[in-house]
Amino acid sequence: MEIPIRLAAMMVLLVTVTAHPHRRHCHTSRYRSLSPSDIRAVRLLHNEHEKSSTNDGIKCQKRMFRQKPSVCELKASDRLILTLERVTLAVDVLTNMSESPLSEFISQPLEFFRSLEDDLKHCRKSPLNSDPPSQQLMPWLNHLKHFREKVSSQCVQDAVLLSLIQLLIEDVMCWANKE
């Protein structure tokens, strides 16, 4: 069976357009309203960690967010950058917790944040979202980098776990609903 030349040319064009990384849209709609099961899983992990958390963990969380700007007040590309940085940090922390006493609570939040991280990275590659960080965002990005380098891994873990709900509600929802 032969495929007409016109149909073959259209198929090649369709594959070329849809396979091009910048042709795929940045889909934020799936994050505008998070699934109740994802929210419950993150809340459960947060609550279980909070039970064993010390004052040092709360100090770490406050130290990490000392200079954090309000996500909703940032321009679109900065919201994306900030959310991607925080989600990447959450994925790193959750991935490294496989031997933790909390490991039974990690799989669903980790799966959610990995998927979100992939979507954010895709959006960041889009020409519409490829602006460098603004001067308003740079101090916070530098603070986060220094925080990760200077404090213990336990402090970073505490700060991230205690801020997962804030990450979901403030950063992700604000990014998704203002795109």
Side-chain angles (χ1 to χ4, degrees):
M1 177 177 137
E2 286 185 43
I3 299 175
I5 293 177
R6 184 180 259 173
L7 180 58
M10 288 176 61
M11 289 171 63
V12 168
L13 181 62
L14 180 63
V15 168
T16 304
V17 168
T18 57
H20 192 279
H22 298 305
R23 298 282 192 253
R24 216 174 98 208
H25 293 285
C26 178
H27 295 290
T28 61
S29 59
R30 73 179 76 168
Y31 302 105
R32 288 187 181 138
S33 179
L34 301 174
S35 81
S37 67
D38 286 331
I39 294 171
R40 266 192 306 275
V42 169
R43 183 167 281 145
L44 180 62
L45 175 59
H46 174 271
N47 291 345
E48 288 299 317
H49 178 70
E50 205 171 44
K51 288 178 187 176
S52 64
S53 185
T54 63
N55 283 339
D56 290 341
I58 294 167
K59 287 178 188 174
C60 288
Q61 180 190 16
K62 287 180 180 178
R63 187 171 168 196
M64 185 169 90
F65 290 110
R66 184 177 18 178
Q67 297 181 1
K68 181 180 172 291
S70 173
V71 181
C72 295
E73 294 173 8
L74 296 172
K75 67 179 190 168
S77 61
D78 281 352
R79 278 194 304 272
L80 174 60
I81 293 167
L82 179 60
T83 305
L84 177 57
E85 287 293 322
R86 292 204 52 218
V87 167
T88 299
L89 179 57
V91 167
D92 291 348
V93 165
L94 293 173
T95 300
N96 292 327
M97 291 182 64
S98 61
E99 301 300 315
S100 162
L102 297 173
S103 60
E104 67 183 283
F105 304 104
I106 291 172
S107 62
Q108 187 175 349
L110 179 56
E111 182 180 321
F112 170 80
F113 285 117
R114 275 189 178 146
S115 175
L116 174 59
E117 181 184 34
D118 289 343
D119 288 341
L120 289 166
K121 284 178 178 177
H122 170 73
C123 291
R124 184 74 180 121
K125 290 177 184 174
S126 160
L128 297 173
N129 293 307
S130 61
D131 291 344
S134 71
Q135 291 301 316
Q136 182 184 9
L137 185 59
M138 283 308 296
W140 192 84
L141 294 175
N142 288 330
H143 172 75
L144 182 62
K145 179 180 180 240
H146 292 350
F147 175 80
R148 290 182 79 172
E149 292 170 353
K150 294 184 186 228
V151 302
S152 69
S153 58
Q154 183 62 48
C155 183
V156 173
Q157 179 178 308
D158 287 339
V160 167
L161 291 176
L162 290 171
S163 66
L164 285 177
I165 293 173
Q166 178 189 1
L167 174 59
L168 272 185
I169 293 171
E170 184 179 342
D171 293 36
V172 174
M173 299 287 285
C174 191
W175 163 73
N177 287 309
K178 289 207 172 187
E179 277 298 305

